[in-house]
Amino acid sequence: MTTQSPFMTNPVVATIMNHRSIRKFTNDTLAPSQIETIVRAAQMASSSSFMQAYSIIGLTDPALKYELREITKTPYMGENGHLFIFCADLQRLTVMGTEQEKLDMKMMMESTAFYQIAVIDAALAAQNAVLAAESLGLGAVIMGAINKDINRLDRMLGLPQYVIPLFGIAVGVPDQQPDVKPRLPLEAVYFENRYASETEQRERVQAYDRDMNRYYLARGANNRDTGWSRKHIDLLKMKLPLTGITDYIRSKGFNVT
Amino acid sequence: MTTQSPFMTNPVVATIMNHRSIRKFTNDTLAPSQIETIVRAAQMASSSSFMQAYSIIGLTDPALKYELREITKTPYMGENGHLFIFCADLQRLTVMGTEQEKLDMKMMMESTAFYQIAVIDAALAAQNAVLAAESLGLGAVIMGAINKDINRLDRMLGLPQYVIPLFGIAVGVPDQQPDVKPRLPLEAVYFENRYASETEQRERVQAYDRDMNRYYLARGANNRDTGWSRKHIDLLKMKLPLTGITDYIRSKGFNVT
């Protein structure tokens, strides 16, 4: 299928295929109409049972942007571009219920299933936001580094119970044009009817490792002699203190049961 | 901002804003080039640290489609349209590590943080898939109902450790044209710098409830006298047996610590 079928394109597919994360922006600020378009696009994503279980916080206050730079230890964050923090949010419905209903709802709200639902809702919305931004000629990067001090970020944003930040998105006018990164072979990601065998998967990832080794060696900036899996296994072995995130999530009423 | 600023559009934004979930398809099957375009679009989404922590399984075997219909208790599922099952997948890197490395990686892999990362990766990819499908003139619906018997689905798909199904996406030629559903007011979803107060949120959701009450009463099919929050609070009070999903997720090595 992969080598013979013609690939189909149109302006939407072209925008999707042209994605690269942009981490450096000019000093231009976003127009209110651009911000509104990005947020309204985010809102149009599907959500589980139409619960719309996410929120977005835009950071405009320079002091808060500076604090986020401290939290993430990422110098480029907050220097320029507009910052959106995407949150999983099960709070709206609890606000609307009676006290008795809140108790009745608690068991579901605090289940792993609903945590997962809210995370998915937020991420579906986020991808619409990224594509809308890119379609307007802007660049974007999704940033997980906001988790480096999640309790501080929570206080900074004044998040109530049942609201947790998941990731940030920085959006601005691109001041760099990195390469589009080659993805895993389609055959390593897409299967028909059953998951592939471990042997098949290993062969596919090994082929990708060879491709990515060439890519990492050849690219203009930040080039190095590594493959995809070696790079990530080394990252995974670093054992960051992740239990703080687990505790934080549970303290907000997510993923408790 | 919301009432005064001009909303910006282009083919990408137009496709995003035109989204409605399609649950009824003609008998046309997807061409291989359509399937490939959808999968390659999914692959282009950002992923956390470029881990690409998701997989997609396409169901083409009629027996498996029938089984999925039994699992989801959703008659339209599997009748027509192409079915994609989106999975969180941290398995590829564990396959590539040495035995010692697998032990070293275990603590991170099995953390809630990495469970969250893989769920986000899968959902970002999924939204690209939905938009690519819609841009090709197809319709799509994301379906959480695959969780109704998640252990059976796991066996059916032959999923290894560190791979869990999150949701399905059915894609096909639309045989219905439902209304676009009004979303929450922008002010109830997007905040500047700090989360809104409970009083503000309550007022915004109440305004939306009135709008949605009119929408639910007026729409062509499945009309009823309810608001958005009442409908969902009643759903949430039903207390489905969700702990089975929690146990399943942990049994696969996700969300353990």
Side-chain angles (χ1 to χ4, degrees), chain B residues 94-236:
Chain B
T94 56
V95 166
M96 299 303 291
T98 63
E99 291 312 309
Q100 180 57 46
E101 283 174 330
K102 284 176 199 175
L103 288 174
D104 291 344
M105 288 192 278
K106 197 173 162 72
M107 194 187 299
M108 284 188 82
M109 285 296 207
E110 301 194 346
S111 68
T112 298
F114 271 66
Y115 164 56
Q116 183 175 297
I117 279 171
V119 171
I120 291 169
D121 275 12
L124 295 172
Q127 186 57 20
N128 266 6
V130 167
L131 286 173
E134 290 173 343
S135 79
L136 298 174
L138 303 169
V141 60
I142 303 183
M143 308 166 302
I146 63 165
N147 289 315
K148 284 185 183 166
D149 190 346
I150 194 119
N151 288 290
R152 184 171 170 191
L153 181 63
D154 180 277
R155 287 191 301 273
M156 180 181 120
L157 301 174
L159 301 182
Q161 197 69 353
Y162 297 126
V163 183
I164 54 171
L166 301 175
F167 49 82
I169 304 184
V171 178
V173 177
D175 195 21
Q176 62 176 186
Q177 176 78 331
D179 300 332
V180 171
K181 263 194 256 184
R183 265 47 179 179
L184 279 161
L186 184 141
E187 298 78 8
V189 169
Y190 181 69
F191 315 107
E192 283 202 351
N193 297 314
R194 278 185 77 82
Y195 200 89
S197 74
E198 192 172 315
T199 311
E200 289 168 313
Q201 277 296 74
R202 193 189 305 271
E203 284 166 9
R204 289 162 187 167
V205 175
Q206 282 168 342
Y208 182 57
D209 277 342
R210 288 188 293 273
D211 289 347
M212 284 304 284
N213 181 242
R214 278 192 291 275
Y215 168 81
Y216 284 132
L217 280 170
R219 71 176 173 182
N222 198 17
N223 61 321
R224 51 191 144 177
D225 186 7
T226 187
W228 175 77
S229 51
R230 172 52 42 206
K231 178 167 175 260
H232 289 96
I233 289 167
D234 290 345
L235 272 175
L236 282 168

Side-chain angles (χ1 to χ4, degrees), chain A residues 16-248:
Chain A
I16 288 172
M17 300 310 292
N18 191 44
H19 169 72
R20 64 282 310 269
S21 296
I22 301 297
R23 294 179 173 80
K24 193 159 182 284
F25 307 105
T26 67
N27 286 325
D28 301 288
T29 52
L30 298 200
S33 59
Q34 290 176 313
I35 297 170
E36 180 181 340
T37 302
I38 290 165
V39 174
R40 291 201 185 274
Q43 290 192 263
M44 286 310 297
S46 288
S47 73
S48 181
S49 305
F50 200 51
M51 279 203 296
Q52 306 176 72
Y54 65 92
S55 284
I56 308 166
I57 302 182
L59 289 188
T60 55
D61 180 342
L64 296 186
K65 290 172 82 166
Y66 180 79
E67 192 172 345
L68 190 69
R69 216 160 81 194
E70 284 194 343
I71 288 171
T72 58
K73 297 171 182 64
T74 310
Y76 68 83
M77 195 175 308
E79 264 180 1
N80 46 27
H82 194 84
L83 287 170
F84 299 93
I85 309 291
F86 275 68
C87 303
D89 188 337
L90 294 169
Q91 196 251 11
R92 272 180 219 101
L93 292 171
T94 56
V95 167
M96 298 303 290
T98 63
E99 292 312 309
Q100 180 55 47
E101 283 174 333
K102 283 175 199 175
L103 288 175
D104 290 346
M105 288 191 281
K106 199 173 159 71
M107 194 187 296
M108 283 186 82
M109 286 296 206
E110 301 193 346
S111 67
T112 298
F114 270 66
Y115 164 57
Q116 182 175 296
I117 280 171
V119 171
I120 291 169
D121 274 12
L124 295 172
Q127 186 57 21
N128 266 7
V130 167
L131 286 174
E134 290 173 343
S135 78
L136 298 173
L138 302 168
V141 60
I142 303 183
M143 308 167 301
I146 63 166
N147 290 315
K148 282 186 185 166
D149 190 346
I150 193 121
N151 289 288
R152 184 171 171 191
L153 181 64
D154 181 277
R155 287 191 300 274
M156 179 182 121
L157 301 174
L159 301 182
Q161 197 69 354
Y162 297 127
V163 183
I164 54 172
L166 300 175
F167 48 80
I169 304 184
V171 178
V173 176
D175 196 21
Q176 61 176 186
Q177 176 77 331
D179 300 332
V180 172
K181 262 194 256 183
R183 267 46 181 179
L184 280 160
L186 185 141
E187 298 76 12
V189 168
Y190 181 69
F191 314 107
E192 283 203 349
N193 298 313
R194 281 185 75 83
Y195 201 89
S197 74
E198 192 171 315
T199 311
E200 288 169 315
Q201 277 297 75
R202 192 189 305 271
E203 283 167 8
R204 290 163 187 166
V205 175
Q206 282 168 343
Y208 182 57
D209 276 342
R210 288 190 291 272
D211 288 347
M212 283 305 284
N213 181 243
R214 278 192 292 274
Y215 168 82
Y216 284 131
L217 280 170
R219 70 176 173 183
N222 197 17
N223 61 322
R224 51 190 144 179
D225 187 6
T226 185
W228 175 77
S229 53
R230 173 49 45 208
K231 178 166 174 263
H232 288 96
I233 289 166
D234 290 345
L235 272 175
L236 282 167
K237 281 157 58 185
M238 281 166 34
K239 290 200 197 76
L240 301 171
L242 293 172
T243 48
I245 295 170
T246 309
D247 293 342
Y248 164 76

Side-chain angles (χ1 to χ4, degrees), chain B residues 58-75:
Chain B
L59 289 187
T60 54
D61 181 340
L64 296 187
K65 290 173 82 167
Y66 180 80
E67 191 171 346
L68 190 68
R69 217 159 82 195
E70 284 194 342
I71 288 171
T72 58
K73 297 172 182 63
T74 309

Side-chain angles (χ1 to χ4, degrees), chain B residues 4 57 81 88 97 111 133 144 148 151 182 202 204 239-240 247-248:
Chain B
Q4 291 168 328
I57 301 182
S111 68
K148 284 185 183 166
N151 288 290
R202 193 189 305 271
R204 289 162 187 167
K239 290 198 198 76
L240 302 172
D247 293 343
Y248 164 75

